């Protein structure tokens, strides 16, 4: 059995507003029933779009230091609020054999892609490694089988901030460390 990769994760995220979170949660329950999925929908309180993974850690001391570095870099981000829209669901493959059913978007995700690029530039300047690829999505449920792309009534909200969270991996719990409002130019 392989050793788990860190008990704590440090992430930059975008959370949906309250109305969109309710719609996403409702969609997750509908998909669970319609596609006969066995997993539980993700709790409304942690529905999010992951922007950057800033590391996985085995102890709390390391992510606290990294959070300070990330906070300094996040202060440099200049972006205006934007509307994001997701218009289909599909399954991803997961290394552990599960198939996360996720909310995805076409043209409605351009603002997220721009924010990702801006954040990536700022984080690399303080030493974080970032991936060149980004697939904006909201995980709805970890299913046991693959679901092909299905259109949905679009779910949208205005992104007004991004957040830094510490994830207690395996516990479905996030601790909000900081957040930054959008208000400058990209």
């Amino acid at each position: 059995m392989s050793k788990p990769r860190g008990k704590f994760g440090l992430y930059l995220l975008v959370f949906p507003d309250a109305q969109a979170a309710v719609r996403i949660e409702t969609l997750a329950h509908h998909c669970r029933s319609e596609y006969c999925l066995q997993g539980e929908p993700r709790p409304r309180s942690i529905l999010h779009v992951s922007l950057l993974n800033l590391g996985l850690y085995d102890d709390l001391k390391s992510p606290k230091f990294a959070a300070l570095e990330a906070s300094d870099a996040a202060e440099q981000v200049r972006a205006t609020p934007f509307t994001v829209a997701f218009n289909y669901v599909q399954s991803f493959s997961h290394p552990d054999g599960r198939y996360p059913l996720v909310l995805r978007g076409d043209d409605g995700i351009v603002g997220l892609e721009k924010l990702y690029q801006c954040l990536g530039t700022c984080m690399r300047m303080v030493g974080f490694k970032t991936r060149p690829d980004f697939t904006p999505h909201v995980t709805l449920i970890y299913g046991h089988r693959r679901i092909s792309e299905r259109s949905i009534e679009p779910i949208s909200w205005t992104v007004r901030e991004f957040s830094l969270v510490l994830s207690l991996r395996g516990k479905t719990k996030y601790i909000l460390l900081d957040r930054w409002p959008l208000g400058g130019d990209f």
Side-chain angles (χ1 to χ4, degrees):
M1 177 178 231
S2 65
K3 181 181 174 192
R5 293 179 16 212
K7 293 188 253 181
F8 307 99
L10 192 62
Y11 299 94
L12 287 168
L13 310 176
V14 167
F15 290 103
D17 64 25
Q19 184 178 9
V22 168
R23 289 192 63 209
I24 294 167
E25 179 184 50
T26 301
L27 174 66
H29 284 280
H30 172 79
C31 289
R32 181 178 190 253
S33 175
E34 183 175 341
Y35 306 134
C36 301
L37 299 174
Q38 295 172 349
E40 288 298 318
R42 306 293 286 163
R44 182 186 324 165
S45 63
I46 66 165
L47 293 171
H48 67 274
V49 177
S50 294
L51 295 169
L52 290 173
N53 174 344
L54 300 177
L56 303 176
Y57 305 92
D58 290 322
D59 62 70
L60 271 175
K61 191 180 290 186
S62 298
K64 284 182 180 179
F65 176 74
L68 292 172
E69 293 285 317
S71 292
D72 288 344
E75 291 288 336
Q76 306 308 311
V77 172
R78 298 292 175 256
T80 56
F82 58 90
T83 299
V84 63
F86 294 94
N87 62 332
Y88 66 96
V89 296
Q90 76 175 99
S91 293
F92 284 165
S93 293
H94 196 273
D96 68 4
R98 296 180 295 171
Y99 294 98
L101 183 65
V102 300
L103 189 56
R104 296 278 317 273
D106 293 319
D107 296 338
I109 60 167
V110 171
L112 287 170
E113 291 168 338
K114 288 181 180 179
L115 181 57
Y116 173 80
Q117 293 300 326
C118 186
L119 281 167
T121 298
C122 291
M123 293 301 141
R124 284 189 299 276
M125 290 174 66
V126 296
F128 287 101
K129 292 182 177 15
T130 63
R131 296 174 52 139
D133 58 323
F134 175 54
T135 305
H137 66 279
V138 177
T139 301
L140 303 174
I141 186 171
Y142 283 93
H144 63 288
R145 63 188 187 90
R146 181 178 288 282
I147 306 299
S148 60
E149 184 179 312
R150 311 274 170 94
S151 294
I152 61 156
E153 176 87 22
I155 296 176
S156 63
W157 70 90
T158 300
V159 175
R160 300 184 189 286
E161 66 182 15
F162 63 96
S163 302
L164 177 66
V165 302
L166 182 67
S167 170
L168 308 181
R169 294 171 49 84
K171 299 192 186 296
T172 316
K173 181 171 177 164
Y174 295 155
I175 298 169
L176 179 64
L177 301 176
D178 210 341
R179 64 176 141 213
W180 297 269
L182 301 181
D185 295 328
F186 273 116

